[in-house]
C-alpha cells in the first residue's frame, strides 16, 4: 500500500502549514494536497520532504468529490492522516452579509469536511488520524461571525461523534 496524508485547504494558512510540518514529523509515500490554487500547491512541492500530488479541486463543487473518490479507487492508498483544513469565514452582521457567501461558508466548512471524511475513512487503517479544524468560536454563539461560528460548532460536534464511531476501528 502507498501510505499517504491528505490535506484540504493546503494552498494557504493552517492547511499549508500542516502539509509542511507533517512531512517533517512522519514518513509518507505521498502527500495529497487539495485546494483551488494550483500555483500555491505546486510551491509546496519545494517545501515538503515527501513527494506531493497536487489535486486542484474546489470543494464547494460536488464534482470534486467524484474526482477524489476516483483517485482513491485508482491508487488504493492507505491514508495515515486526513487534515480537513479547507474553510473560511466572514465578519459582519448576519443580515448585512451576502447570503450566497454565507451559504458558501456552510458548503466548504461543513459539507466538504463531511464528504472528505466519508470518502477517506474506508482507506484509513487502525492507527490513522483525522484532523478537522474547528475554531474557538465553535464553543458558543459568537455575534458578527454567526454563520462561521455555527459552521465550526458543526465541525466540533461532528468530530466528537465521529471519534466515538471510529474508536473500534482504531482511527483517531
Amino acid at each position: 500500500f502507498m501510505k499517504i496524508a491528505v490535506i484540504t485547504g493546503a494552498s494557504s494558512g493552517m492547511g499549508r502549514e500542516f502539509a509542511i510540518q507533517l512531512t517533517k514529523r512522519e514518513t509518507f509515500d505521498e502527500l495529497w494536497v487539495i485546494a483551488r490554487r494550483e500555483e500555491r500547491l505546486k510551491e509546496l512541492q519545494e517545501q515538503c520532504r515527501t513527494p506531493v500530488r497536487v489535486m486542484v479541486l474546489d470543494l464547494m463543487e460536488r464534482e470534486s468529490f467524484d474526482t477524489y473518490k476516483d483517485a482513491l479507487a485508482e491508487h488504493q492508498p492507505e491514508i495515515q492522516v486526513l487534515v480537513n483544513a479547507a474553510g473560511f469565514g466572514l465578519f459582519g452582521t448576519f443580515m448585512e452579509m451576502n447570503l450566497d457567501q454565507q451559504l458558501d461558508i456552510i458548503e466548504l466548512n461543513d459539507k466538504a469536511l463531511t464528504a472528505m471524511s466519508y470518502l477517506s475513512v474506508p482507506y484509513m487503517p487502525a492507527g490513522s488520524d483525522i484532523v478537522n479544524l474547528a475554531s474557538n468560536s465553535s464553543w458558543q454563539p459568537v455575534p458578527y461571525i454567526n454563520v462561521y461560528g455555527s459552521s465550526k460548532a458543526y465541525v466540533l460536534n461532528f468530530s466528537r461523534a465521529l471519534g466515538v464511531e471510529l474508536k473500534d476501528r482504531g482511527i483517531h
Side-chain angles (χ1 to χ4, degrees):
F1 282 101
M2 174 175 52
K3 294 183 179 186
I4 69 168
V6 177
I7 302 161
T8 69
S11 62
S12 64
M14 294 293 288
R16 182 178 181 278
E17 194 61 30
F18 265 98
I20 293 167
Q21 295 302 320
L22 272 174
T23 63
K24 289 180 180 178
R25 298 172 186 252
E26 296 187 44
T27 302
F28 305 101
D29 296 315
E30 277 189 354
L31 189 66
W32 289 17
V33 294
I34 299 171
R36 294 173 298 154
R37 295 176 289 197
E38 183 174 16
E39 66 283 349
R40 290 201 181 173
L41 292 176
K42 286 184 175 180
E43 288 172 8
L44 275 174
Q45 292 173 317
E46 301 167 12
Q47 298 182 20
C48 295
R49 298 177 182 180
T50 302
V52 173
R53 178 181 301 266
V54 170
M55 300 182 79
V56 180
L57 300 173
D58 182 345
L59 296 181
M60 287 194 291
E61 303 293 332
R62 290 221 175 159
E63 301 80 33
S64 293
F65 304 120
D66 292 333
T67 302
Y68 178 66
K69 181 180 178 181
D70 292 346
L72 290 172
E74 178 183 347
H75 298 285
Q76 295 291 310
E78 187 174 272
I79 301 174
Q80 296 290 309
V81 179
L82 168 65
V83 178
N84 282 308
F88 79 100
L90 298 171
F91 183 81
T93 65
F94 176 71
M95 291 306 298
E96 290 172 353
M97 289 190 293
N98 177 281
L99 176 61
D100 287 334
Q101 288 180 316
Q102 292 187 73
L103 293 175
D104 286 347
I105 291 171
I106 297 165
E107 193 74 36
L108 186 58
N109 295 4
D110 298 339
K111 290 183 177 183
L113 176 137
T114 302
M116 290 299 295
S117 299
Y118 184 87
L119 295 170
S120 298
V121 166
Y123 295 89
M124 300 183 83
S128 57
D129 297 295
I130 299 174
V131 180
N132 291 331
L133 272 63
S135 167
N136 279 334
S137 66
S138 66
W139 300 98
Q140 65 185 21
V142 183
Y144 310 106
I145 55 170
N146 182 357
V147 174
Y148 173 79
S150 298
S151 76
K152 292 302 184 172
Y154 171 88
V155 173
L156 177 64
N157 287 301
F158 172 80
S159 299
R160 286 178 166 173
L162 186 62
V164 171
E165 292 179 21
L166 296 177
K167 187 175 183 178
D168 289 345
R169 292 184 59 176
I171 300 172
H172 180 261

